[in-house]
Amino acid sequence: MHMIRMALVGAGFIGSVHAANLAAHPDVDLVGIHDVDGSRATELASRHATRPLGPDDAFDSSGLDAVLIASSTDTHAAHLRRAAAAGLATLCEKPIDLDLDHAVEVVGEVGHTGLPMMVDFNRRFDRDYAEVARTVGSGEIGGVELVQMTTRGPALPPLDYIAVSGGQMRDQTVHFFDLARWITGEDPVSVFAAGSVFTDPRMIELGDVDTSVVALRMPSGALVQIDSARRIGYGYDERIEVLGSDGLVEAGRHQAGAVTRYRAGQVVGDGLHPGWFERVAPTYRAALDHFVSALETGAPIGPTLPEALKAQAIAEAATRSLRSGELEPIVYPVPAPAL
């Protein structure tokens, strides 16, 4: 079996993360790297003993099996279309497109190809979250009744990032909308979201919040509560708890180390990871492993494009609820088949 020949599109921060993982993967031949900024692609390619690619070469199926799309969000849809037209398997950073209607249109166009296409909702590949999903799916804790999720970052991202991010529901909480579906095996039917701004008042001008609580209702009656914060100051904090009819399963917060110091009247332990990347870095490698293994074996691949649309649809309804102050129904789009 030959190595999976892959091109990387995008040489920014997350592109550099993917480049390192692609270059280190024993079953991947990193053919080259393309970026709209040629000098950035050249620098990253030289770091990983590969070559910069022009836009045509990055989607040339004669020398490639797959492409990893890690470019700016507003280019994902066009690159997905181009990869599909070239017959290339694709691993794409989320979202497909910030505009849900456009994302649905794209999935309708490329979905009929039958090509392996995966959206990198990397939290599914967190070892602890995968074990929570396995435990729930096995029935060990009975029927799911209540899910508590936390996603809290250490500091407010730059406002120029916030302005193009789509807002907290679409950018941050959306990972946990995907996890909620995946872990419970259910598509929520309604959502209520409340949010506040505690950091920079300019967030209000952007129509966004930095702190929010979301409640989802599942068809079974199970409830999911997700709290999201942009700035907590004590590190990066994620955790999930699932209460079932017969027990509870929990993935706790991760500390940066496991050393505890005992003094008279005081116990001091290691703190949390300083940022989101330090906490979730292994999940990018694990997601790539899943993608490559599926290409090699023909196993099912996921999260799929339609699954990504569902998480995005929940985020859209949650964004509406933030603005309306009301419980909002969740409408799941069905991509029209390409003619």
Side-chain angles (χ1 to χ4, degrees), residues 123 150-157 168 171-173 176 199 210-212 227-239 272-280:
R123 299 305 197 283
T150 289
T151 167
R152 302 175 186 167
L156 186 71
Q168 190 174 49
D171 177 56
Q172 181 181 5
T173 316
F176 285 75
T199 56
D210 56 41
T211 306
S212 61
D227 74 78
S228 305
R230 288 289 198 182
R231 183 268 297 135
I232 56 174
Y234 61 84
Y236 187 76
D237 189 357
E238 282 191 7
R239 52 191 189 272
L272 304 185
H273 291 289
W276 68 271
F277 180 69
E278 291 85 354
R279 166 64 177 82
V280 306

Side-chain angles (χ1 to χ4, degrees), residues 93-146:
E93 275 296 316
K94 66 89 181 168
I96 297 164
D97 190 83
L98 269 177
D99 182 277
L100 180 58
D101 289 340
H102 188 214
V104 172
E105 180 185 314
V106 172
V107 173
E109 288 178 20
V110 306
H112 75 286
T113 63
L115 292 165
M117 290 192 160
M118 171 178 156
V119 177
D120 196 9
F121 274 113
N122 55 302
R123 299 305 197 283
R124 288 196 189 192
F125 300 93
D126 180 277
R127 182 181 62 86
D128 295 353
Y129 297 164
E131 180 59 17
V132 168
R134 187 205 65 77
T135 300
V136 171
S138 72
E140 289 179 41
I141 62 166
V144 173
E145 296 177 352
L146 183 65

Side-chain angles (χ1 to χ4, degrees), residues 254-269:
H254 280 207
Q255 293 179 208
V259 176
T260 306
R261 303 149 188 89
Y262 295 85
R263 299 187 182 96
Q266 187 181 56
V267 179
V268 181

